[in-house]
Structure formats: structure tokens, C-alpha cells
Amino acid sequence: MSFFRNRLKIGSVGLLIVLMTLVLAIGYQLLVEKERQLLDKTFQQIQKQAEHQLLSLIDEKQSSSKSIAISLAHNSKIIDLFASSNPSNYVLKNMANQLSQVDEYKNIWVQLIDQNGVAIARSWTESVGQNLSKIRPDLQSFLEQPRVLTGISIGNYDLSFKAMVPIYNHRGEFLGLLEVITHFNSIVERLRKEGFDSLILAQESYFSQIKHPFTNTFVGKRYVANLNANQEDIELFNELNLNSVEFESYFYAQDQNRVVFSIPIMGKNNEKLADYFIFKPITDIDFSLIRVQTNNIKLAVALTLVVLFILFYALGLKRQPNLKHQKSKFKVFIALFIVLMLISAAAFYASYLKEREAYLEMHNQSINKSYEIIKDKYQSVALTTLQLLINKQSVIDLMEQAYNGEQSKAFVRQELQNLLNEDYEVLRGGNLRQLHFHLRNNESLLRMHRPAKFGDNLTGIRKTVEYVNRTYQAIHGFEEGRIFNGYRYIFPITQHAGTPSEQHLGSVEVSFSPYAIAQDFAKTFGINSEFIIKKSVVEEKVFESERDNYIQCLFPNYAFDREMQAKLKSGAHCANIDNQFVDIGKLENQIDKGKVFSVESFDGQKLFTLIPLSNPVTDKVVATYILVDQNDALQNIKSHYLLMYLIGLVIIALTLAFVFKEWMNAQNARQMSQKTQQILDSQKSIVVINDGEDIINVNQAFLDFFEVESLDQFKQMSHCICDHFRRNDRFFHLGKVPEGTSWLEFAMTLKHSERMVQMANHKGEDCIFNFSLSRFSEGRFIIGFNDITDTMLEHFELENRATTDYLTGARNRSYLNHVLPVLRDITKQANKSLGLILFDIDYFKSFNDSYGHNLGDDILKEIVVLVKRTIRDEDLLIRWGGEEFILVVKIHDIQSAERIAENLRQVIAAHEFSEGLKVTCSFGVTLDNDAFEIEDMIQIADQALYKSKDNGRNCVSVKIN
């Protein structure tokens, strides 16, 4: 305590505590708001990620379902079923059972529908004969124009994916269609591996349509479309009452430590079929970026507290009156500002780098996860292609012929091409780039994309082909070929697999263009990209005649794929990386490390994420994706820190300037006459000395009233004491001073009784003063303010009692007579009119007679409360007598007064009074004419009131004199 007693004034200590408390309070509010904003941003990013993953999986499911449907449609047994008068479901059931061996298609359904839309055979049930075209718009569209069609719809059984392929007989006549139906269960499992639980609920409008529910589970009238729905999620859905909650993207169930995201499932005609609810535990969410930013706020608060303490400590130092010490003190303040500026800069920059690193790490992980999801999609398509098109005995037998006889290779090549050509052309529309068969000695047997090029040995060129034919194990990954590069999925082809006579015949490659990945990034995530491949790989592997497919790019050791570059540009998906990078050589070295990383563009406006692609056998980087997105997040982070730093500098500068100014003012204040100040301070009244424009001096009573330590502190809040005069027509205030006139000069003309003002003290309490004013020298005034609050309050209380109705609390006749002239003047100045609305309670006497006067009094009081609640603050309610009331309103025309009366009539009529009574009122409306006495105007309103009574009461009538 001795430190503060010696170095700080008691008032400064108090102010320091108040300011520190204020800083902590503001800091806490900022922290809470910032956490809320960051949580919202984090949840929206997760929702966007989940939606992107879901859309990608849906696209994958539709593509693979289409591939399955196309493959099954070629089975000759299908046409036989259409020709049968009583088709059996055995063939379809057998097809579905074979497909169910693939995890993705555990619950696959197959059905045949004739040209009229009637189901004639199904793999999952004996029930047939329903006309499905009546409930399925997608089927109606298909029958009008038969073609390969995929989509999502709701039938009698389930919400499901449907792939439809037209079936024709040998004469080309349309027989109907084969439909492959798959469900959402595999998608749910894939998302569960990513940490998301799913609950898919069909719209209530489909409740009656789903007559044979596949999952047999409902939430209210909403069908649960995923067979593997978690019961805990259903219970949480009901507990949170999410069916009645409308939220565009997410719902934060903080008490349950879960976030719920909602994604709509749309049908063919853009109608909403279902809501896909995704549940994410809070414990699985990375909040590190939020912690970094909230720590910045805590740092700023701590820094501010330190600055305040240092400044107030400086205030308490002993001040020297001579100029030499003033200059010395100023140098100390400048040095302190520089030190604080450098400390702030270092702290903010370190925090910025940490947050930038955390954001880039999270961004890279997100991009890498999205990339893996897209690759998984094409792996699923490749496996489906293998299962349905290649793992057929006819294909394996042809490969065995090529393996055993040199002379039969040409025959095998042609037969394979004829067998697979139609399916290959369809699959090419789904981004399939190559279907390539190799013999076990790595010799190219058939390239479906270039059938004229064959017979070349891929040993030493295609490491993946060598690996499969050496190990008999499948492999996948990116690899450059003799013609094209791509994502290659290479599988062994084996005769009599799993038997003692098993024989490895060769391998087959299903590959996809890198453009497919780029296109998915663009379509699903809205991210443009470039693709570059190492020139050394092209020169080593690509046929010399095919090297024109590649062109030099910005990176010296890399080239563009010409075809892919053209597609990216035509599809507006191209990243346009030219002249955007700072250090190309450093980037190439970073690419060779094989990990996803991000860099900002030269101007900082874009963020480039580089995904190195490694050969799956050699593990060496051979190509790279370059994704580009707007760098808004990092730019915002950078701007945020720069703004915080600038604000910090301003706060430090202003605080130091304030401290230095206070110190200078304190020096000047000591030069004032001690005797004069003692005289002023001895006065109990507030004393102000003014030069006509500015306050020169005040006494201690002034400082105590406003709770300021000095006049300078008061001047920081306001320039003049007159700014604190409350606007009350009972007293003097600046609104009564003519424009361009000094309030002091005008106050000199007022009578003593007119020199009363109302001001609020530091506690917010209104006080009333009578002020005296005298000129004691050229242009100088001394003003004394005497507190007469108690006296005036007693006067107001007596006045209020005299003008207020004792029963209802409304104003009485006396008040209206007193205030009407003032109201007329104010209304005329506002170019408005006064409306008089006279109303009384219908059959009031019967209430008193029937229920007693106490109830009658209650009704009067309740009427007043109801009317005051309905009218405007500026409107005046008068109890004129008995059950009669007058409402005085400022209006533009008589119609406005009539509308006000009509509104009151309806409000009163609709209100339920004591004892459940209903009360009505009759109204008479007129416009005030200041040429008449108030009694005359009331008489005119009374005539209008009687007209309302003659019209049956509970109505409004108008009369204008």
C-alpha cells in the first residue's frame, strides 16, 4: 500500500481499477463473440466438407449403379424373361446374390419393368404387377424417351438410387427396362469412417406412398431410409425436436456435445425427397484455430492492462515544474511508446505465423481427405467394372487362348474388342480413359483406347504392370504410360482361381484421366486446378509419336498434359498458374517431398495447394495437381492481425498522449492562485467561471457532482455545462435559446423564477438547480448553481395530485384546461391538428347495478391501463367524469383520429375484463378549433358520441364544426 500512497493519488488508483475492470469486461464480451463467430465458421466448414463428401459418394453410387445396370442388360436371359408369360424372379435374384459379394452392394435389388411401367419381375420379392409410372416421375420420363437414366427417387419400398437401361429384342423393339436399385447404406458406412453418423428421413408427404418400408423404421411420419441408422441418433433427433427446428446448415446441440448438419436430398425434378442429417461429436472437431484466435484476444487484454498500469504509474510520479524536467518526461514517454510498439509487433507477428501455420495444416488435411474420397470413388468404379465386365468366363477364356497360342492373339484381340466395345464406349462417358489388357510377360495385348497399338513389351516402362504379373496382386495409383497418363487400377486375370489348377494369364488395367479428379474438385468443391507431369517421365516412357501430347509449363522440369489443359480451359476449371509463384525452384524441391502443401500467390490473393503424385511402385513423385482457391481466409487472418496491431498502436499512442497532457495540465494547474481556488472550493453551490465560450475554472462541488478529478477531465466529456441541461419544458434548456445566441447572454434576460435547470449527477440522479448569473469582467461570467431538488419535488408532487384522477391515474379536467393552450401551440408549430376523442363505457350503470361499484371501479381502472398501453406516448388521456374519457391526439386529419378511435374500440371490445366480462365503448371524434373554448369542443365531440349511441353503441362517429 505504501507504493500506491507514495506514487499514485487515491483517485487515480480508483480510476485504474475501474478501467481495468472495464477492459476485462469488454475483453470477455469480445472473447465470447469471437468464439461464437469462429464456432459458426468452423461448423459451416464441416458442413461444407460433409456435403461435398456426400455429393461425391452419391455421384459415385450413381455411376457404379449405372455400370451394373448396363452390364446386366446384356445378359440374354433378360430378354427371355420379357418374352415369358410368367417371368420368374430366380434369374434376377441370382444376379443380385452375385453382386452382393461386393461390400458396396450388400442389398442390391434388380427389377424388370415393361413398356407400360408395370413391374414384371423383382429380385427381392414375389410381389409384382404394380404400375410404378403413376408414383415415379423419373420412370414416366424414361418411358417417354428410353435411354440410360440414373437418379434418386422414392417408391413403395424405399428411398434409393435407380439406374435404368432400356431393353430391346433382336428386332430392335422396345420391351421395357432393367432397373438396378441400390441404397444409402454403403454411403452411411463410408461417412461413418470419416466420423459422421447419418440419419436419412424422407419427407412426410411420402408416408402413405411407402407401403412396404425396407427399413421398417419411422420417426413420426418420416421414413428412416438408412437400414444402419443409429438408434442413439434417432433418440437425439427426437430429444432435440429437430423436426420442428428450421436450420439452413447446422444445429449446435451443446448440451449433448453434438453438431447436427442437414443436407437436402433432391429428386429428378428438383423436388425435395428427404433430409440427410449428419451427427458429429464435438470431441472429433479440431478447435485449435479457435484457440489461437481467442488467445490473441487474451493477449491483447493482458497487454492493455499492462499499458494501463504503466501509464497510471507514470501519472503518479513526482512532477517537476521546470521545462527541463518536462522535456525529460516527454522523452521517457517516447521511449516507452517505441518499446511497446516493438513488443506488440513481435507478439502479433508470432501469433499470426502460428495461426497461419495452423490454418494451412487444416486446409491441407481437408484437401488431402477430399482427394482420397474422390480417388475412392474411381476405385469403386474400377472394382465394379472388373466384377461385371472383366471377371466373366468368356473374357478369361479369351485371355487363356492368347496365353497359349501366338497365332490366336489377333483373334483374341478382335473378340475382346467386340465383346467389350459397347460397354467401354458407355463407360468412357464416365471418365474412363483406358481399358488395357496385358499378357503375363507384360506384353500389351489390347488397348481399347488405341486398338491399333499392340504387341509392345511394357517391361521397364510400366512398373505397375510388372508388379501385378510378378506378384499376382492388384495395385493402383498414378502412373505415366506409353500414350496416356492416369489413375490406374491393375488387376490380375486368373483361370480357375482358388483351385489347384489356378493359372495366371496376365493383367487388365482400368484407368481414369487426371481430368476426372480435377473435374470432381471443380464440380464438388468449386476449386479450379492445373495438372503438371515431370518431363523426365514423359521422355522416358511415352511413345515418341505421342510426346506432342505434352507442352512446357511454368515449372522448368514439368509439362502440361495438352488434352487435359484444353479440357480444363474449356470447362472454366483451369487455375492459370502462370507468373503466380515466387520461387519455382524451391517449390519443385518441396513437391519432391511427396506431401500436400500450400503456398500463397505472388500478390497474396490466391492460395495454391499442391498434391504430389507418386508412382505406387517406385514411390517417386512423377506428377502434381495444383489447386487454386481464393485466399480469403489467410487474407482475413492477416488483415485481422494488422488491424489489431494498428488498434493497439493507436490505443498506446492515445493513452500516452493523454497521460502526458494530464501531466502538463497538472503543472499548469499548480500555477493557479491557491487563495482563489480555496474561495471557490469553500462554496457548497456549484460555481463555474466562464469566458463566454469556454469554462475557465470550477470549484470542488462541480467536480464532485460530475465525479471528475479535474476540469480537463470534464472537458474530455463535454465542452460546456449547458450540454448537461436536461430538455424539460418546466425548466431552462438549450432548446429555448434562439439560434445564433449565446445561452449566457440569453439567460441574462430571464427572470429569477425562469432560471431553473435540471442536470443528472454522476450517479444518473436528476437534480434541479436555480442558477444565478453575473458578469464580473469583460466577457467573463460567474455562474452559481443552488440545489433546490427537494423543494421542487414537493411542488411537483402537489401539482401532480391536483391534476391526476385519484381512482384511475389518468389526468383530470383541471390538467386539460391547464395544458391545452400549450398543446395547441406545439401542434400548430408541427403543422398538425389536435383531435379530440370522447368515449364512454356502454351500459356502465348496469355493471354497477349488477356487480357493485367495486367492479365498476375495477373496469374504469382496467380501461385506463388498456388505453395507455394502446396509444402513443405523446397522446393524452383525460378522465372527463364518471365513465367518460377524452383522448387528445396530434394528427394530420380527421381520418387519422377516426382510425385511432376505431383501433381503441376494437382493442376494448376484444379484451376480457374482470370476472370474464366483455365491455364496449362508444366514440365521438372531432377536430380541435383553437377559436373555441374546450367546453365547446367537448360539446361537439359529445354530439358525435350520441350519434354512436343512436347507431347501437360500440361504434365510432365523427363530427366537425
Side-chain angles (χ1 to χ4, degrees), residues 478-650:
F478 179 86
E479 188 180 28
E480 176 53 58
R482 303 304 300 267
I483 299 174
F484 291 129
N485 57 73
Y487 285 88
R488 307 180 187 277
Y489 299 87
I490 305 173
F491 307 98
I493 297 179
T494 305
Q495 182 71 284
H496 308 303
T499 67
S501 57
E502 177 177 312
Q503 186 178 32
H504 178 69
L505 305 175
S507 56
V508 63
E509 170 191 325
V510 181
S511 70
F512 301 90
S513 166
Y515 176 71
I517 306 289
Q519 188 180 37
D520 276 359
F521 266 113
K523 286 170 55 180
T524 308
F525 302 99
I527 301 177
N528 292 343
S529 61
E530 296 269 27
F531 174 80
I532 58 176
I533 187 167
K534 279 195 173 181
K535 287 165 47 177
S536 59
V537 175
V538 174
E539 293 166 358
E540 176 187 353
K541 294 187 176 183
V542 178
F543 286 128
E544 190 171 345
S545 60
E546 301 287 344
R547 291 179 186 172
D548 287 343
N549 292 336
Y550 300 91
I551 54 176
Q552 180 64 50
C553 73
L554 179 68
F555 290 74
N557 296 314
Y558 284 83
F560 286 132
D561 181 317
R562 188 189 298 272
E563 178 188 356
M564 180 172 173
Q565 189 77 357
K567 286 184 177 181
L568 287 172
K569 289 183 177 179
S570 65
H573 305 324
C574 190
N576 298 319
I577 63 173
D578 291 344
N579 302 319
Q580 294 287 322
F581 296 107
V582 178
D583 190 338
I584 299 295
K586 185 177 179 181
L587 284 180
E588 287 195 350
N589 292 334
Q590 184 73 9
I591 290 171
D592 286 338
K593 294 179 181 179
K595 292 184 178 180
V596 176
F597 68 99
S598 297
V599 294
E600 294 181 79
S601 61
F602 184 79
D603 58 5
Q605 298 301 311
K606 296 178 181 178
L607 183 66
F608 292 95
T609 304
L610 289 85
I611 307 176
L613 308 180
S614 301
N615 183 289
V617 178
T618 65
D619 204 32
K620 291 182 179 179
V621 173
V622 293
T624 303
Y625 274 110
I626 304 176
L627 309 182
V628 61
D629 203 355
Q630 291 299 315
N631 194 27
D632 295 337
L634 280 182
Q635 289 290 76
N636 289 338
I637 293 173
K638 190 182 299 182
S639 300
H640 168 73
Y641 276 95
L642 181 59
L643 179 61
M644 285 185 65
Y645 177 62
L646 292 177
I647 291 174
L649 289 185
V650 170

Side-chain angles (χ1 to χ4, degrees), residues 113-115 142-143 146 165-169 172-177:
I113 302 173
D114 68 15
Q115 58 188 343
F142 179 91
L143 293 174
V165 179
I167 304 297
Y168 300 90
N169 62 18
E173 297 170 340
F174 176 60
L175 301 178
L177 65 125

Side-chain angles (χ1 to χ4, degrees), residues 20-281:
M20 284 186 165
T21 304
L22 185 62
V23 168
L24 288 172
I26 293 174
Y28 176 76
Q29 291 297 324
L30 288 174
L31 187 64
V32 170
E33 179 63 19
K34 188 65 175 178
E35 283 183 332
R36 187 194 65 78
Q37 292 176 357
L38 291 172
L39 274 177
D40 184 64
K41 183 178 179 181
T42 300
F43 293 153
Q44 286 182 356
Q45 288 175 343
I46 296 173
Q47 192 273 341
K48 185 177 180 181
Q49 173 195 349
E51 184 174 7
H52 287 167
Q53 292 183 4
L54 176 61
L55 293 177
S56 179
L57 291 171
I58 287 175
D59 186 41
E60 174 187 336
K61 192 82 169 184
Q62 288 179 325
S63 297
S64 56
S65 298
K66 180 174 69 173
S67 300
I68 293 171
I70 292 171
S71 173
L72 296 181
H74 292 320
N75 195 314
S76 60
K77 295 179 181 179
I78 298 298
I79 298 178
D80 295 338
L81 286 174
F82 275 101
S84 173
S85 59
N86 185 22
S88 169
N89 71 341
Y90 173 77
V91 174
L92 300 184
K93 190 173 183 179
N94 187 49
M95 291 179 176
N97 287 338
Q98 290 180 355
L99 289 168
S100 67
Q101 297 176 17
V102 180
D103 288 341
E104 295 282 328
Y105 305 105
K106 289 294 184 186
N107 296 301
I108 193 168
W109 293 349
V110 184
Q111 74 172 333
L112 298 182
I113 302 173
D114 68 15
Q115 58 188 343
N116 298 315
V118 176
I120 63 173
R122 287 169 166 160
S123 67
W124 70 95
T125 179
E126 298 287 345
S127 175
V128 293
Q130 297 95 335
N131 191 330
L132 302 179
S133 63
K134 295 180 179 180
I135 63 172
R136 286 182 44 193
D138 58 333
L139 183 56
Q140 293 176 7
S141 173
F142 179 91
L143 293 174
E144 292 169 2
Q145 183 184 355
R147 74 277 190 199
V148 176
L149 187 66
T150 60
I152 303 173
S153 66
I154 297 179
N156 289 327
Y157 291 86
D158 198 13
L159 166 73
S160 54
F161 297 91
K162 298 181 174 66
M164 294 175 279
V165 179
I167 304 297
Y168 300 90
N169 62 18
H170 63 278
R171 293 189 299 274
E173 297 170 340
F174 176 60
L175 301 178
L177 65 125
L178 178 142
E179 181 175 55
V180 169
I181 302 173
T182 54
H183 310 276
F184 277 86
N185 300 315
S186 61
I187 290 178
V188 171
E189 289 301 323
R190 292 275 290 276
L191 286 176
R192 186 168 290 165
K193 292 177 181 178
E194 299 295 329
F196 297 110
D197 283 342
S198 304
L199 181 63
I200 310 170
L201 298 182
Q203 294 294 92
E204 286 189 7
S205 56
Y206 293 99
F207 176 74
S208 59
Q209 178 178 314
I210 305 175
K211 298 177 181 177
H212 310 287
F214 174 53
T215 66
N216 204 30
T217 306
F218 288 85
V219 174
K221 289 190 175 183
R222 302 191 70 175
Y223 170 67
V224 178
N226 52 315
L227 189 63
N228 46 5
N230 192 329
Q231 186 61 35
E232 292 181 0
D233 294 334
I234 295 177
E235 292 173 359
L236 180 61
F237 183 90
N238 288 324
E239 182 180 345
L240 298 176
N241 198 21
L242 293 181
N243 227 5
S244 63
V245 176
E246 293 185 6
F247 52 97
E248 292 184 1
S249 57
Y250 73 87
F251 180 82
Y252 183 22
Q254 189 170 10
D255 293 340
Q256 287 80 12
N257 293 317
R258 302 282 279 275
V259 187
V260 187
F261 305 98
S262 174
I263 302 169
I265 302 296
M266 310 303 290
K268 202 70 177 177
N269 296 324
N270 206 32
E271 78 279 15
K272 187 176 180 180
L273 302 177
D275 289 299
Y276 197 115
F277 292 98
I278 294 178
F279 298 82
K280 181 78 171 178

Side-chain angles (χ1 to χ4, degrees), residues 699-952:
N699 67 343
Q700 188 62 41
F702 176 98
L703 301 178
D704 293 340
F705 182 80
F706 291 106
E707 201 181 39
V708 292
E709 290 189 358
S710 66
L711 177 58
D712 286 333
Q713 187 177 351
F714 173 80
K715 287 182 178 180
Q716 291 177 3
M717 298 186 298
S718 56
H719 175 71
C720 177
I721 192 173
C722 60
D723 296 333
H724 294 266
F725 296 168
R726 291 292 180 91
R727 197 176 185 86
N728 189 326
D729 289 338
R730 293 176 180 269
F731 310 112
F732 173 75
H733 57 82
L734 293 181
K736 295 183 177 182
V737 180
E739 188 175 354
T741 305
S742 164
W743 78 273
L744 290 169
E745 296 292 348
F746 181 75
M748 292 287 289
T749 66
L750 298 177
K751 299 176 184 178
H752 179 76
S753 60
E754 295 174 331
R755 292 180 180 177
M756 287 191 295
V757 296
Q758 185 179 26
M759 294 188 292
N761 63 16
H762 64 277
K763 297 179 181 178
E765 301 167 344
D766 285 332
C767 301
I768 302 169
F769 296 89
N770 178 264
F771 68 92
S772 59
L773 180 66
S774 60
R775 198 191 312 264
F776 68 92
S777 65
E778 185 65 29
R780 299 217 168 183
F781 298 86
I782 183 167
I783 314 155
F785 293 87
N786 297 313
D787 192 337
I788 57 172
T789 304
D790 294 339
T791 302
M792 293 305 297
L793 288 178
E794 291 176 5
H795 172 73
F796 294 153
E797 178 63 24
L798 291 173
E799 184 183 79
N800 186 58
R801 290 178 183 177
T803 59
T804 302
D805 178 55
Y806 75 94
L807 175 63
T808 64
R811 292 295 186 178
N812 59 18
R813 286 190 179 204
S814 174
Y815 183 79
L816 180 61
N817 291 329
H818 174 72
V819 81
L820 186 63
V822 178
L823 287 175
R824 283 172 167 171
D825 289 343
I826 294 173
T827 305
K828 188 180 294 183
Q829 291 175 9
N831 292 322
K832 291 185 178 181
S833 301
L834 276 182
L836 297 180
I837 301 173
L838 178 66
F839 64 97
D840 69 1
I841 302 172
D842 296 332
Y843 307 112
F844 183 70
K845 185 175 182 302
S846 65
F847 289 118
N848 282 333
D849 293 343
S850 300
Y851 301 99
H853 288 278
N854 288 339
L855 181 64
D857 290 347
D858 290 341
I859 290 175
L860 289 173
K861 290 187 281 186
E862 205 165 343
I863 283 280
V864 169
V865 172
L866 187 60
V867 171
K868 285 184 176 181
R869 197 165 60 213
T870 305
I871 63 177
R872 301 167 298 183
D873 290 341
E874 63 183 23
D875 298 336
L876 177 63
L877 178 64
I878 305 292
R879 185 182 181 194
W880 193 245
E883 71 273 20
E884 285 189 321
F885 296 89
I886 293 175
L887 183 61
V888 184
V889 294
K890 297 176 188 175
I891 52 173
H892 289 288
D893 48 42
I894 190 66
Q895 288 79 11
S896 299
E898 186 178 8
R899 284 194 296 271
I900 293 172
E902 176 61 26
N903 181 53
L904 271 180
R905 184 194 69 77
Q906 295 179 14
V907 169
I908 294 171
H911 184 69
E912 185 175 306
F913 287 79
S914 300
E915 305 296 335
L917 295 176
K918 286 291 185 177
V919 176
T920 62
C921 292
S922 299
F923 293 78
V925 183
T926 189
L927 280 180
D928 178 47
N929 187 334
D930 57 7
F932 291 85
E933 296 295 330
I934 182 61
E935 289 78 7
D936 298 329
M937 297 311 306
I938 298 302
Q939 183 63 35
I940 296 171
D942 193 48
Q943 293 172 9
L945 174 60
Y946 272 97
K947 183 178 178 182
S948 295
K949 292 184 178 295
D950 291 341
N951 290 336

